[in-house]
Amino acid sequence: MTSRERVQAALDHRKPDRLPMDLGSARFTGIVLGAYERLRQHLGFGEPGPIIEQMQQLVEMDERVLRYLKVDVRAFAQGAPDRNGPVQLDENRYRDEWGVTRVKPPGSHYYDMQGSPLAGEITAADIARYPWPDPTDPGIFRGLREKAERLRMTGYAVMYNARFNLVHTTQYLRGFEDWFLDLGSNHGLFQALMQAVLDVLVELNHRALAEVGDLIDIVAFGDDIGQQDRPVCSLANYRKLIRPAQEKIVETIRAHTKAKILYHTCGSVYRYIGDFIEIGIDALNPVQVTAKDMQPERLKREFGDRISFWGGVDSQRVLPYGSPEEVAAEVKRLFSFMGENGGWVLAGVHNIQPDVPPENLVAMFRAGEECTYD
């Protein structure tokens, strides 16, 4: 099989020739700067990559490294806006296009949120007056179709990073404390902010998908609506406050493409998975196996015939602290049930962090290459 055929078969719940594998495609299956530099040094090849996501310090990987690891997916995303885009305020501080300020503390691998422009006592009128990003800015779409066409000529599965990060964007704008207080007791304001951000994201992705919808195999988007030990809210509040927006996101995607929809959320989201299936999610990332109720055996048994899983190699314990042999054993253990009748794409639980030894990362992909179907 080609890589594209392999991924398509798995997402269709058919057996491919071997387990499909991903690294560096979505903004949640990538590799951060420190980890990538260690991997390049270990392999002895691969050029330094540009930063493709400043907050998390995600790196664009050298094609030679992707081929060496037998990665089956290639991806692209929108460009930067021509006007009112991110602004570098000083060496370690920037403001993004939404007006959120971030700072990189000394010794940190990432940028932390420093200022939320809609924090504090606000009203729906303040939300209406806010200077929202322009979803029609030509810089966002310049060269988008050309990127997709180049990738379509390869044998790899093509992923479009839709960046429909609605929950995160509202959290960053409002600040986490105020966001959770609104979620608990100020539903009118919560919905007003969600709708304002959703309007921008729907228009942006409507235009982008109209350009590339016929050339892609997977649309990836994500938000974190789970914590380590619970979801962010009750199922009733999820259905009232978050699911309607997710339904609109899926509707926007389906209007422009037949591509599979890959949705990312960290944490304990077992209670929500039935709803994800109902609204049309094809694959769930990452399967945070250390979160409550997210045992991969249970998820595959209860949902595996209706949704695929993307990721699941533990990045809290096994990848950073296990031996290469233990990493390989964990991949093969997961494959023994997660890979049954397809429905699983190998990846870490999240972006590969600097504490993951490169030997362990290579061991994960070598083991995945050995996971074949009869």
Side-chain angles (χ1 to χ4, degrees), residues 70-311:
K70 305 295 178 64
V71 173
D72 291 298
V73 186
R74 299 294 185 271
F76 68 103
Q78 313 97 317
D82 289 338
R83 303 175 300 275
N84 302 318
V87 176
Q88 197 71 35
L89 302 173
D90 56 43
E91 183 180 0
N92 294 309
R93 198 164 58 97
Y94 75 97
R95 183 176 59 246
D96 68 20
E97 62 268 36
W98 297 92
V100 178
T101 305
R102 299 187 180 279
V103 63
K104 190 171 184 288
S108 175
H109 298 294
Y110 324 102
Y111 282 80
D112 295 338
M113 190 170 68
Q114 185 184 49
S116 298
L118 289 173
E121 294 294 327
I122 65 168
T123 66
D126 295 314
I127 293 171
R129 287 192 297 265
Y130 190 73
W132 298 108
D134 178 7
T136 70
D137 188 297
I140 298 170
F141 313 102
R142 188 175 298 116
L144 201 61
R145 186 166 181 84
E146 289 76 11
K147 293 178 188 177
E149 287 174 337
R150 285 196 298 272
L151 293 179
R152 192 67 185 178
M153 294 174 65
T154 71
Y156 298 105
V158 179
M159 176 185 292
Y160 165 61
N161 277 291
R163 306 304 298 275
F164 256 127
N165 48 340
L166 174 64
V167 169
H168 277 326
T169 301
T170 56
Q171 288 172 332
Y172 301 152
L173 285 162
R174 190 79 172 100
F176 283 96
E177 182 176 351
D178 287 330
W179 187 91
F180 273 100
L181 288 171
D182 294 343
L183 176 65
S185 61
N186 196 346
H187 291 178
L189 191 67
F190 185 94
Q191 290 171 314
L193 183 57
M194 289 280 281
Q195 188 61 53
V197 173
L198 181 63
D199 288 344
V200 174
L201 295 177
V202 164
E203 180 62 22
L204 187 156
N205 283 287
H206 160 72
R207 290 171 178 267
L209 287 163
E211 292 271 338
V212 303
D214 59 322
L215 299 171
I216 57 179
D217 303 298
I218 304 141
V219 176
F221 79 99
D223 273 314
D224 290 342
I225 55 174
Q227 302 173 95
Q228 189 77 19
D229 61 346
R230 72 197 72 187
V232 296
C233 62
S234 68
L235 184 58
N237 271 352
Y238 164 76
R239 289 173 173 169
K240 175 184 177 181
L241 300 171
I242 297 175
R243 174 172 165 160
Q246 293 183 330
E247 290 175 338
K248 181 63 178 179
I249 289 169
V250 171
E251 176 187 314
T252 303
I253 295 169
R254 295 285 186 221
H256 295 286
T257 183
K258 296 179 181 178
K260 300 291 187 181
I261 298 177
L262 170 62
Y263 172 63
H264 162 86
T265 172
C266 290
S268 175
V269 292
Y270 170 80
R271 297 182 207 169
Y272 298 161
I273 294 177
D275 287 68
F276 298 160
I277 294 168
E278 287 179 2
I279 67 176
I281 300 299
D282 296 298
L284 177 64
N285 168 274
V287 191
Q288 187 174 328
V289 295
T290 56
K292 184 179 179 182
D293 297 326
M294 295 297 286
Q295 300 89 346
E297 299 94 331
R298 178 187 191 183
L299 299 185
K300 183 70 175 185
R301 182 177 65 252
E302 294 188 25
F303 305 110
D305 60 338
R306 293 174 288 156
I307 195 168
S308 297
F309 297 102
W310 193 298

